[in-house]
Amino acid sequence: MASNKNILFLPGDGIGPEVMAEVRRILDWLESKRAVGFDINEGLVGGASYDAHGTPLTDDTLDAAMNADAVMFGAVGGPKWDDLDFSLKPERGLLKLRKEMDLFANLRPAIVFEALAEASTLKKEIVAGLDIMIVRELTGGIYFGEPRGIERLADGTRRGVNTQVYTTPEIERVARVGFELAAKRNKRVCSAEKANVMESGILWREDVQRIHDEEYPEIELTHMYADNAAMQLVRDPKQFDVIVTDNLFGDILSDEAAMLTGSLGMLPSASLGAADEMGQRRALYEPVHGSAPDITGQGLANPLACVLSLAMMLRYSFDLAGEADLIESAVSNVLSGGLRTADIMQPGKAKVSTSVMGDALIRELDKIGA
Ligand code: IPM
Ligand code: MG
């Protein structure tokens, strides 16, 4: 057996621990039925870490994340911590992990499972068969740009400032990730920015075009203003293959793309750093949905986004494409069998809890992969 893969579990807040529990069961299944070994450590992040240690991310947890082969992340945040100082908010724990681990490429696939084509608020023919990948820049742009802050002006009013800033190397490295992914898919990249309004958008467009011309001429590259991309995503999402965009536009476009699939509860993500000499990347996997405090603790959460994030981990961090395929097939089959958590419930289907969905996945894995 190959050496164990070291995973740090950070369940976080709200429904994070509930959906991560189902992922844990699938890892156990893989260990017992497929002879892959995992060493799993667990830590606190977000509000849970704040409650225990007074900070949303301790240095020890950050250290463990830096040294893990991969991090599996649940969700952070909730009304309990709304009044905390900005620097102590649960979200800061996640943003610090992204920044310190230098996870600049955020992969957010939006795939419509056959069985869910009718769960979307869009017409079935618009979304059926959809399979797009959003690559969001994750460690730059307005999320981290300086100067930032809120200041009081001489007249007593206040002024809030954030800075959108990108350098050529930041743009180039995320563009390459987009082109590499497209090369393994339908060979089309659409880059989204606001070059009509922002200088950083002009630089973005020029740098992406140059990397294309010099390194990936065989890929079809188009450019779109981000507002138009938002509109095109609901008008005709299947025109896209890979979308490469900045941190803020990617945040917005990926929520929009998630809804094409029927539910935010279906969307996984991978956040990747640069490859080292061995081809290894720092990596963090998380469902795109948040902590959903309104449904926490009621068994209502959809574990599938988190389970699909595990499949991405197996594929991108551990080169276990077969196991990743297996998990994705199990998800697809369970949905075809008619089981639904509340968020994707449809007439005539069986509404199940988080853990019953987990039971069904394990049964399906036994059937197709043991
Ligand atoms: C996401 C979330 C985060 C973001 C929040 C929780 C900080 O919305 O991962 O999309 O804005 O990046
Ligand atoms: Mg978001």
Side-chain angles (χ1 to χ4, degrees):
M1 193 160 86
S3 72
N4 281 1
K5 299 159 191 358
N6 180 293
I7 305 177
L8 178 67
F9 258 54
L10 297 176
D13 309 321
I15 61 171
E18 297 167 46
V19 294
M20 291 275 275
E22 303 311 317
V23 168
R24 191 75 175 233
R25 293 173 66 191
I26 294 182
L27 283 168
D28 290 344
W29 183 91
L30 288 169
E31 289 205 300
S32 69
K33 301 288 169 61
R34 306 283 294 195
V36 263
F38 301 100
D39 284 330
I40 301 175
N41 292 298
E42 195 162 318
L44 297 173
V45 71
S49 172
Y50 176 80
D51 287 348
H53 304 293
T55 164
L57 182 73
T58 64
D59 291 344
D60 284 351
T61 306
L62 177 59
D63 249 22
M66 298 286 257
N67 292 313
D69 294 324
V71 177
M72 188 81 222
F73 188 96
V76 287
K80 183 175 174 198
W81 304 284
D82 272 354
D83 295 330
L84 285 181
D85 186 77
F86 190 69
S87 64
L88 296 173
K89 283 210 191 301
E91 290 78 6
R92 302 311 302 173
L94 173 59
L95 293 169
K96 188 166 177 191
L97 277 168
R98 289 175 177 170
K99 190 70 178 172
E100 296 290 325
M101 293 171 74
D102 201 18
L103 305 172
F104 64 89
N106 183 214
L107 279 47
R108 299 189 162 185
I111 295 171
V112 172
F113 286 91
E114 175 90 43
L116 286 187
E118 277 166 26
S120 174
T121 48
L122 275 82
K123 292 199 193 86
K124 182 174 175 178
E125 60 271 23
I126 302 290
V127 297
L130 181 74
D131 179 354
I132 63 178
M133 176 70 88
I134 296 187
V135 180
R136 167 188 177 192
E137 199 290 328
L138 202 60
T139 50
I142 202 162
Y143 271 58
F144 297 97
E146 301 280 347
R148 64 185 299 159
I150 301 177
E151 61 190 18
R152 179 141 331 254
L153 302 178
D155 67 359
T157 59
R158 294 195 301 163
R159 178 169 179 264
V161 180
N162 289 93
T163 302
Q164 167 79 333
V165 49
Y166 273 106
T167 62
T168 290
E170 285 178 308
I171 299 167
E172 288 178 341
R173 63 181 186 171
V174 75
R176 285 194 183 97
V177 171
F179 288 124
E180 297 285 342
L181 285 165
K184 295 186 193 137
R185 298 170 46 100
N186 293 320
K187 308 203 166 24
R188 288 185 291 121
V189 168
C190 176
S191 168
E193 29 55 17
K194 283 286 287 177
N196 53 343
V197 181
M198 299 157 80
E199 284 77 0
S200 59
I202 295 174
L203 184 71
W204 182 282
R205 185 175 284 226
E206 291 175 357
D207 286 343
V208 172
Q209 186 68 52
R210 191 185 53 259
I211 292 296
H212 168 269
D213 296 349
E214 289 173 0
E215 300 175 26
Y216 304 94
E218 71 287 2
I219 306 288
E220 180 192 314
L221 171 65
T222 52
H223 303 277
M224 221 182 248
Y225 298 138
D227 55 341
N228 185 28
M231 187 270 279
Q232 295 295 339
L233 263 178
V234 285
R235 193 186 72 84
D236 176 21
K238 284 185 249 174
Q239 70 184 279
F240 297 108
D241 178 23
V242 175
I243 297 176
V244 178
T245 191
D246 78 9
N247 204 343
L248 182 61
F249 297 140
D251 181 44
I252 297 166
L253 293 178
S254 63
D255 262 33
E256 188 188 4
M259 218 41 223
L260 302 174
T261 72
S263 167
L264 206 48
M266 293 299 302
L267 229 80
S269 79
S271 304
L272 307 176
D276 64 17
E277 321 77 67
M278 310 289 291
Q280 294 296 310
R281 299 170 181 270
R282 289 220 171 90
L284 179 147
Y285 299 84
E286 64 177 308
V288 173
H289 64 68
S291 57
D294 51 322
I295 61 163
T296 298
Q298 302 168 48
L300 289 174
N302 183 347
L304 297 180
C306 205
V307 168
L308 292 169
S309 302
L310 170 66
M312 290 187 88
M313 174 187 291
L314 298 173
R315 192 182 303 284
Y316 292 108
S317 284
F318 300 139
D319 219 2
L320 291 170
E323 278 68 19
D325 287 344
L326 198 62
I327 290 172
E328 287 162 0
S329 299
V331 168
S332 178
N333 294 352
V334 164
L335 292 170
S336 298
L339 298 196
R340 299 284 186 277
T341 43
D343 57 312
I344 50 174
M345 186 56 191
Q346 295 163 280
K349 305 295 179 193
K351 189 161 153 185
V352 298
S353 68
T354 312
S355 63
V356 172
M357 184 60 95
D359 296 341
L361 284 173
I362 299 286
R363 265 202 313 278
E364 187 61 30
L365 285 170
D366 277 335
K367 202 158 97 197
I368 63 177

